[in-house]
Amino acid sequence: MLVAEKIGKRFPGVVALDEVSMELLAGKVTAIIGENGAGKSTLMKILSGVYPEYEGRVLYKGTEVKFANPKEAQECGIAIIHQELNLIPDLSIAENIYLGREVTNEFGVLRKRLMREKTQELLDKLKLTVNPDTLVRDLKVGQQQVVEIAKALLTDAEVIIMDEPTSAISDHEVDILFGIIENLRRENKAIVYISHKLDELFRIADRYIVLRDGRVTEAGEMKGIDHDAIINKMVGREVKMVNKGSRVVGTEKLLEVNRLSLRPLDSLKRMLLDDISFHLFRGEILGVFGLMGAGRTELLESVFGLHPSKCVGEISIEQHKIKLRSPEDAINAGIALVPEDRKKDGLVLGLDVKTNISVSVLDQVSYAGILSDKKEVDLAQQYISSLRIKTPSCKEKVKNLSGGNQQKVVLARCLATRPKLLMLDEPTRGVDANAKHEIYKLIFELSEAGLGLIVVSSELPEILAVSDRILVMSEGKITAEFSSHDANEDNILKAAIPKTI
Amino acid sequence: MDISQYRSKLARFQSSIALFVLCLALSILSDKFLTPENGWNILRQTSVNVCISVGMTLVVLTAGIDLSVGAVLALSGAVAAGLLKTGIELPSNDLFVGFTLLGTIVVGLITGSFLGFFNGWVITRFKVPPFVATLAMLTIARGFTMLWTKGYPISGLGPNFAFIGTGWFLGVPVLVWIALIVVVVAVIISNKTAFGRYIYAIGGNESAAKLSGIDIGKVKVLVYTIAGALAAVGGIMVTSRLDSAQPNAGMGYELDSIAAVVIGGTSLSGGRGSIMGTVLGALIIGVLNNGLVLLDVSPFWQQVVKGLVILLAVIIDKVNSKAE
């Protein structure tokens, strides 16, 4: 269907792709695997017309094509569904699907009924039972993804590229998505599936292509290759699953949360946090698992003082009750939070590494209110080496770092405040397998140094790998607690699935 | 060094280069341009805009905007002038409070600071967009100026007050000294203090700044207060130079000041830019105004040219940041 020959793409200072050749077959799902920065996104952006300039050539159904922009690629039959969905929240599903290719009558007036009916047909086909007039704003993330797919189908796309489609949706929605992909495969579409989640690839993909440092290192059938072999090819060396070893947990209570509740903005909705009580020992790693909307993030935010006016309950650090009115208070009380979305909430991307690390502790790096460049650089260097942050210098802009290293910069900023309690929300989202293990290692090192850690994750293997104890949340409540010996994927999931549907 | 490095070097000094080229061209085109008198003239004329634009830069760095600076300038200047001239009479107690020169200046500055503080409070407390909040302040302050002056200029403020606007100190006009001090202090604050760092962090990513424990509200209120105070400084300067507080003083100054900020390379979306860039921007506008007058270009064409220069500056900036 689509053949790429010796594709090369250079950016100032880096070779993003180097003579990459690959082939997409009709009726097959091809998985593109690689660490962050391996060149997956660049390759997809070339195929979908985002980057019009590159070396090598692309053959589509046997003829060479060169797209000047994404629209040309779409018209040709290549659709891409980006990780960040490109929908307009205040337009309806039908309006979104027809955006840029509205059907009009001879006077230029929109044929709304026709478009609505066509949209309905598409939605039926994709088994999304909502009205085409629904605003996209009111849809769940998973449903929005289906709308994106409908958009691709409307143009009769033959090649559909999905970039990390499951990064923000629940397991149930993943099942629906896979059903849709199954149907598309039967209709002889060529599908490209990019994901970090290897388990998914084994479920859905027929073939795989592994990219590393801009080159194809391996390609073949999904059958006859296993988990470890793929990871091996991605990183170029053996990566073992983390080994916790024997863990010693302190007996001193570091954090105690008593009857914490969080009111929603809208009084009709259920409580976001409903009567939550738990504790954390010094040196302990507490895993918190929950599905989308279970209240995991809200729990961390409340303990971090982000919702002072909507929150009731008691929080004590080292047996002292504390009142948290702002993140500033929380930081002063020895609490630190690594937020879920590091680009949105964690980092000032346009500023350099040292500035991002020192921003919470500027008084530590000043003399009489005047910042000292030397002290700031020293502080940054200390964390760059202790957290093994890979950066050309501490004056590099954070946006030029890889996902894993950006995450470490956030971690460095938090550690610079010398916290007793470190809370990590989805610490390994969007980082590659290798960086993941680095971060797990750091988590263990920190707990051995006496910190209490709370790790929130939507990935079960992650929770099971790092936690000493696991809390499961569902609909704002804690529904189960397991020690690491008793926990397994089954009992955790059972406790996480909401009872009221 | 490859081309992209040259390019980024060039981009960093684009304002300086533009200013240099502009001066070069004008000194060839007009023999009156490159004289000491004209040089001081330009600096004196630019000094007011520099002061206001320094405050505007801080505001814009937090991803805000302050449209009220011109009106705040007028009200602060008028308050100072009015108090100097007549003091305050409290008829009920038959009391008269007179003001010294320093006293009037202090009250003028307090007026501007308070209006700026009010802007910041409305913006942070009620989450009113800066554009709207300061637009409202623009008409409020202008209205108060009219009420205070009853629509007439307050003139004849005496030689001591006029010294600020027309005097010289150590061979440099006092106005230029004031602008210089404002710039030096602002450069130190923006580069060398935690407060300055917070301004950049908030403009770069407000949510990350908040989670880093920065009190966003406090920083923003302070930034708008500073902008108001510097507008008041401008008000004192203008009033003193004209020896008169005009009710419509500072009309349109907010636009010149935003232009200086933008030409100086500060991003209107916040987080990126510098005080020195703004100073260069203000100088470019000042030299341009002066040169067009010397070349006898009609004032109408001057406006057109100024607008085109602003557009050009922003386009160059966009092209450069894309290349980066």
Coordinates of all heavy atoms in Angstrom, one line a residue, chain B residues 21-34 295:
Chain B
V21 N 21.4 50.9 11.9 CA 21.1 51.1 10.5 C 20.2 52.4 10.4 O 20.5 53.2 9.5 CB 20.4 49.9 9.9 CG1 19.9 50.3 8.5 CG2 21.4 48.7 9.8
L22 N 19.2 52.5 11.2 CA 18.3 53.6 11.2 C 19.1 54.9 11.4 O 18.9 55.9 10.7 CB 17.3 53.4 12.3 CG 16.0 54.3 12.2 CD1 15.3 54.0 11.0 CD2 15.1 54.0 13.5
C23 N 20.0 54.9 12.4 CA 20.8 56.1 12.7 C 21.7 56.5 11.6 O 21.8 57.6 11.2 CB 21.6 55.9 14.0 SG 20.6 55.9 15.5
L24 N 22.3 55.4 11.0 CA 23.2 55.6 9.9 C 22.5 56.3 8.7 O 22.9 57.3 8.2 CB 23.8 54.3 9.5 CG 25.1 54.3 8.6 CD1 26.2 54.8 9.5 CD2 25.4 52.9 8.1
A25 N 21.3 55.7 8.4 CA 20.5 56.2 7.3 C 20.2 57.7 7.5 O 20.3 58.5 6.6 CB 19.3 55.4 7.1
L26 N 19.7 58.0 8.8 CA 19.2 59.3 9.0 C 20.4 60.3 9.0 O 20.2 61.5 8.6 CB 18.5 59.3 10.4 CG 17.1 58.8 10.4 CD1 16.6 58.6 11.8 CD2 16.2 59.6 9.5
S27 N 21.6 59.9 9.5 CA 22.7 60.9 9.5 C 23.1 61.1 8.1 O 23.7 62.2 7.8 CB 23.8 60.4 10.4 OG 24.1 59.0 10.1
I28 N 22.9 60.2 7.2 CA 23.2 60.5 5.8 C 22.2 61.4 5.1 O 22.5 62.3 4.4 CB 23.3 59.2 4.9 CG1 24.5 58.4 5.4 CG2 23.5 59.5 3.4 CD1 24.6 57.0 4.9
L29 N 20.9 61.1 5.5 CA 19.8 61.9 4.9 C 19.7 63.3 5.4 O 19.2 64.1 4.7 CB 18.5 61.1 5.1 CG 18.4 59.8 4.3 CD1 17.1 59.0 4.7 CD2 18.3 60.1 2.8
S30 N 20.0 63.5 6.7 CA 19.8 64.8 7.2 C 21.1 65.2 8.0 O 21.6 64.5 8.8 CB 18.6 64.8 8.2 OG 18.6 65.9 9.0
D31 N 21.6 66.5 7.7 CA 22.8 66.9 8.5 C 22.4 67.4 9.9 O 23.3 67.6 10.7 CB 23.5 68.0 7.7 CG 22.6 69.1 7.3 OD1 21.3 69.0 7.6 OD2 23.0 70.1 6.7
K32 N 21.1 67.5 10.2 CA 20.7 67.9 11.5 C 20.6 66.7 12.5 O 20.5 66.9 13.7 CB 19.4 68.6 11.4 CG 19.5 70.1 11.0 CD 18.1 70.7 10.8 CE 17.8 70.9 9.3 NZ 16.4 70.9 9.0
F33 N 20.6 65.5 11.9 CA 20.4 64.4 12.8 C 21.5 64.1 13.8 O 21.3 64.0 15.0 CB 20.1 63.1 12.0 CG 19.9 61.9 12.8 CD1 18.6 61.7 13.5 CD2 20.9 61.0 13.0 CE1 18.4 60.6 14.3 CE2 20.6 59.9 13.8 CZ 19.4 59.7 14.5
L34 N 22.7 64.1 13.3 CA 23.9 63.6 14.1 C 24.5 64.8 14.8 O 25.7 65.1 14.6 CB 24.9 62.9 13.2 CG 25.7 61.8 14.0 CD1 24.8 60.7 14.6 CD2 26.7 61.2 13.1
L295 N 13.1 65.0 8.4 CA 13.1 64.8 7.0 C 11.8 65.5 6.4 O 11.5 65.3 5.3 CB 13.1 63.3 6.6 CG 14.4 62.6 7.0 CD1 14.2 61.1 6.6 CD2 15.5 63.2 6.2

